[in-house]
Short mmCIF file of all heavy atoms in Angstrom, two decimals:
data_model
loop_
_atom_site.label_atom_id
_atom_site.label_comp_id
_atom_site.label_asym_id
_atom_site.label_seq_id
_atom_site.Cartn_x
_atom_site.Cartn_y
_atom_site.Cartn_z
N ILE A 1 25.23 34.80 -10.13
CA ILE A 1 26.28 35.65 -9.56
C ILE A 1 25.86 36.12 -8.17
O ILE A 1 26.66 36.07 -7.22
CB ILE A 1 26.60 36.85 -10.48
CG1 ILE A 1 27.26 36.35 -11.79
CG2 ILE A 1 27.50 37.86 -9.77
CD1 ILE A 1 27.44 37.42 -12.84
N ARG A 2 24.61 36.58 -8.03
CA ARG A 2 24.13 37.03 -6.72
C ARG A 2 24.18 35.89 -5.70
O ARG A 2 24.58 36.10 -4.55
CB ARG A 2 22.72 37.59 -6.83
CG ARG A 2 22.64 38.97 -7.45
CD ARG A 2 21.27 39.61 -7.31
NE ARG A 2 20.22 38.83 -7.96
CZ ARG A 2 19.88 38.95 -9.24
NH1 ARG A 2 20.48 39.82 -10.00
NH2 ARG A 2 18.90 38.20 -9.74
N ALA A 3 23.78 34.69 -6.11
CA ALA A 3 23.79 33.53 -5.20
C ALA A 3 25.20 33.23 -4.72
O ALA A 3 25.43 32.96 -3.53
CB ALA A 3 23.18 32.31 -5.88
N ALA A 4 26.14 33.26 -5.63
CA ALA A 4 27.54 32.97 -5.26
C ALA A 4 28.09 34.08 -4.36
O ALA A 4 28.72 33.80 -3.33
CB ALA A 4 28.39 32.83 -6.51
N GLN A 5 27.83 35.31 -4.75
CA GLN A 5 28.35 36.45 -3.99
C GLN A 5 27.76 36.48 -2.58
O GLN A 5 28.46 36.71 -1.60
CB GLN A 5 28.05 37.75 -4.76
CG GLN A 5 28.83 38.95 -4.31
CD GLN A 5 28.17 39.68 -3.16
OE1 GLN A 5 26.96 39.62 -2.96
NE2 GLN A 5 28.96 40.37 -2.39
N THR A 6 26.47 36.20 -2.45
CA THR A 6 25.80 36.18 -1.16
C THR A 6 26.40 35.13 -0.24
O THR A 6 26.48 35.33 0.97
CB THR A 6 24.29 35.89 -1.34
OG1 THR A 6 23.73 36.93 -2.13
CG2 THR A 6 23.56 35.81 -0.03
N ARG A 7 26.84 34.01 -0.83
CA ARG A 7 27.44 32.93 -0.04
C ARG A 7 28.94 33.14 0.19
O ARG A 7 29.61 32.29 0.76
CB ARG A 7 27.20 31.59 -0.74
CG ARG A 7 25.73 31.16 -0.72
CD ARG A 7 25.51 30.04 -1.72
NE ARG A 7 24.17 29.45 -1.68
CZ ARG A 7 23.12 29.92 -2.33
NH1 ARG A 7 23.21 31.03 -3.06
NH2 ARG A 7 21.96 29.30 -2.25
N GLY A 8 29.47 34.25 -0.29
CA GLY A 8 30.87 34.58 -0.03
C GLY A 8 31.86 34.05 -1.04
O GLY A 8 33.07 34.06 -0.79
N TYR A 9 31.40 33.60 -2.20
CA TYR A 9 32.31 33.09 -3.22
C TYR A 9 32.72 34.21 -4.17
O TYR A 9 31.87 34.98 -4.63
CB TYR A 9 31.64 31.99 -4.05
CG TYR A 9 31.35 30.74 -3.28
CD1 TYR A 9 30.06 30.43 -2.89
CD2 TYR A 9 32.38 29.86 -2.95
CE1 TYR A 9 29.79 29.28 -2.18
CE2 TYR A 9 32.11 28.71 -2.23
CZ TYR A 9 30.82 28.42 -1.86
OH TYR A 9 30.55 27.28 -1.15
N PRO A 10 34.01 34.31 -4.50
CA PRO A 10 34.42 35.28 -5.51
C PRO A 10 33.94 34.81 -6.88
O PRO A 10 33.94 33.62 -7.17
CB PRO A 10 35.95 35.27 -5.42
CG PRO A 10 36.28 33.92 -4.87
CD PRO A 10 35.13 33.54 -3.97
N VAL A 11 33.53 35.76 -7.72
CA VAL A 11 32.97 35.42 -9.03
C VAL A 11 33.79 36.06 -10.14
O VAL A 11 34.01 37.27 -10.15
CB VAL A 11 31.50 35.89 -9.15
CG1 VAL A 11 30.94 35.56 -10.53
CG2 VAL A 11 30.64 35.28 -8.05
N LEU A 12 34.20 35.23 -11.08
CA LEU A 12 34.83 35.65 -12.32
C LEU A 12 33.79 35.45 -13.42
O LEU A 12 33.35 34.32 -13.65
CB LEU A 12 36.08 34.82 -12.61
CG LEU A 12 36.70 34.97 -14.01
CD1 LEU A 12 37.14 36.41 -14.27
CD2 LEU A 12 37.87 34.01 -14.16
N ALA A 13 33.37 36.53 -14.07
CA ALA A 13 32.39 36.44 -15.15
C ALA A 13 33.08 36.73 -16.47
O ALA A 13 34.07 37.48 -16.51
CB ALA A 13 31.25 37.42 -14.91
N PHE A 14 32.58 36.14 -17.53
CA PHE A 14 33.12 36.41 -18.86
C PHE A 14 31.99 36.44 -19.86
O PHE A 14 30.93 35.85 -19.65
CB PHE A 14 34.18 35.38 -19.25
CG PHE A 14 33.65 34.00 -19.50
CD1 PHE A 14 33.34 33.58 -20.78
CD2 PHE A 14 33.44 33.12 -18.45
CE1 PHE A 14 32.84 32.31 -21.02
CE2 PHE A 14 32.94 31.85 -18.67
CZ PHE A 14 32.63 31.43 -19.96
N GLY A 15 32.20 37.18 -20.93
CA GLY A 15 31.19 37.30 -21.98
C GLY A 15 31.70 38.13 -23.13
O GLY A 15 32.88 38.47 -23.19
N SER A 16 30.80 38.49 -24.01
CA SER A 16 31.16 39.25 -25.20
C SER A 16 31.71 40.62 -24.83
O SER A 16 31.13 41.33 -23.99
CB SER A 16 29.93 39.43 -26.09
OG SER A 16 30.21 40.35 -27.13
N HIS A 17 32.81 41.02 -25.47
CA HIS A 17 33.37 42.35 -25.22
C HIS A 17 32.46 43.45 -25.75
O HIS A 17 32.57 44.60 -25.34
CB HIS A 17 34.78 42.47 -25.84
CG HIS A 17 34.76 42.54 -27.33
ND1 HIS A 17 34.57 41.43 -28.12
CD2 HIS A 17 34.89 43.60 -28.17
CE1 HIS A 17 34.59 41.80 -29.40
NE2 HIS A 17 34.78 43.10 -29.45
N MET A 18 31.53 43.07 -26.62
CA MET A 18 30.59 44.05 -27.18
C MET A 18 29.39 44.29 -26.26
O MET A 18 28.71 45.30 -26.40
CB MET A 18 30.07 43.53 -28.54
CG MET A 18 31.15 43.30 -29.57
SD MET A 18 31.87 44.82 -30.17
CE MET A 18 30.52 45.46 -31.11
N ASP A 19 29.13 43.38 -25.35
CA ASP A 19 27.93 43.48 -24.50
C ASP A 19 28.26 44.20 -23.20
O ASP A 19 28.42 43.59 -22.14
CB ASP A 19 27.38 42.07 -24.23
CG ASP A 19 25.97 42.12 -23.66
OD1 ASP A 19 25.52 43.21 -23.22
OD2 ASP A 19 25.32 41.05 -23.63
N LEU A 20 28.33 45.52 -23.30
CA LEU A 20 28.67 46.33 -22.13
C LEU A 20 27.57 46.29 -21.07
O LEU A 20 27.84 46.40 -19.88
CB LEU A 20 28.96 47.76 -22.55
CG LEU A 20 30.15 47.93 -23.51
CD1 LEU A 20 30.32 49.39 -23.90
CD2 LEU A 20 31.41 47.35 -22.93
N GLU A 21 26.32 46.10 -21.51
CA GLU A 21 25.22 46.01 -20.56
C GLU A 21 25.37 44.76 -19.67
O GLU A 21 25.18 44.83 -18.46
CB GLU A 21 23.89 45.96 -21.31
CG GLU A 21 22.69 45.91 -20.38
CD GLU A 21 21.37 45.84 -21.13
OE1 GLU A 21 21.34 46.02 -22.36
OE2 GLU A 21 20.36 45.59 -20.45
N ALA A 22 25.73 43.64 -20.28
CA ALA A 22 25.93 42.41 -19.49
C ALA A 22 27.09 42.60 -18.52
O ALA A 22 27.04 42.14 -17.38
CB ALA A 22 26.19 41.22 -20.41
N ARG A 23 28.15 43.28 -18.96
CA ARG A 23 29.30 43.54 -18.08
C ARG A 23 28.85 44.33 -16.85
O ARG A 23 29.19 43.99 -15.72
CB ARG A 23 30.38 44.31 -18.85
CG ARG A 23 31.55 44.74 -18.00
CD ARG A 23 32.58 45.50 -18.82
NE ARG A 23 33.54 46.21 -18.05
CZ ARG A 23 34.39 45.72 -17.18
NH1 ARG A 23 34.38 44.44 -16.92
NH2 ARG A 23 35.23 46.47 -16.52
N GLU A 24 28.08 45.39 -17.08
CA GLU A 24 27.59 46.22 -15.97
C GLU A 24 26.66 45.43 -15.05
O GLU A 24 26.73 45.55 -13.83
CB GLU A 24 26.90 47.47 -16.50
CG GLU A 24 27.84 48.45 -17.17
CD GLU A 24 29.01 48.86 -16.28
OE1 GLU A 24 28.80 49.17 -15.09
OE2 GLU A 24 30.15 48.86 -16.78
N LYS A 25 25.79 44.61 -15.64
CA LYS A 25 24.89 43.79 -14.83
C LYS A 25 25.66 42.78 -13.99
O LYS A 25 25.31 42.53 -12.83
CB LYS A 25 23.88 43.06 -15.72
CG LYS A 25 22.80 43.94 -16.29
CD LYS A 25 21.85 43.14 -17.16
CE LYS A 25 20.72 44.00 -17.68
NZ LYS A 25 19.78 43.21 -18.50
N ALA A 26 26.70 42.20 -14.56
CA ALA A 26 27.51 41.23 -13.82
C ALA A 26 28.21 41.90 -12.63
O ALA A 26 28.22 41.36 -11.52
CB ALA A 26 28.54 40.58 -14.74
N LEU A 27 28.75 43.07 -12.85
CA LEU A 27 29.41 43.80 -11.76
C LEU A 27 28.39 44.20 -10.70
O LEU A 27 28.65 44.06 -9.50
CB LEU A 27 30.15 45.03 -12.30
CG LEU A 27 31.39 44.72 -13.14
CD1 LEU A 27 31.89 45.99 -13.85
CD2 LEU A 27 32.48 44.10 -12.29
N ALA A 28 27.22 44.66 -11.14
CA ALA A 28 26.17 45.04 -10.19
C ALA A 28 25.67 43.85 -9.38
O ALA A 28 25.31 44.00 -8.21
CB ALA A 28 25.01 45.70 -10.93
#
């Protein structure tokens, strides 16, 4: 995600609705 964001690509992430930590990490 960081590599894509650094290069200017928009990122759509998906994962378990139960894994709120992964959601926060993806946004960060």
Side-chain angles (χ1 to χ4, degrees):
I1 293 172
R2 284 191 300 273
Q5 196 273 335
T6 299
R7 291 166 173 86
Y9 293 105
V11 178
L12 169 61
F14 69 96
S16 170
H17 72 283
M18 300 290 290
D19 194 346
L20 298 178
E21 182 181 350
R23 175 181 166 60
E24 292 306 314
K25 286 180 177 181
L27 290 169

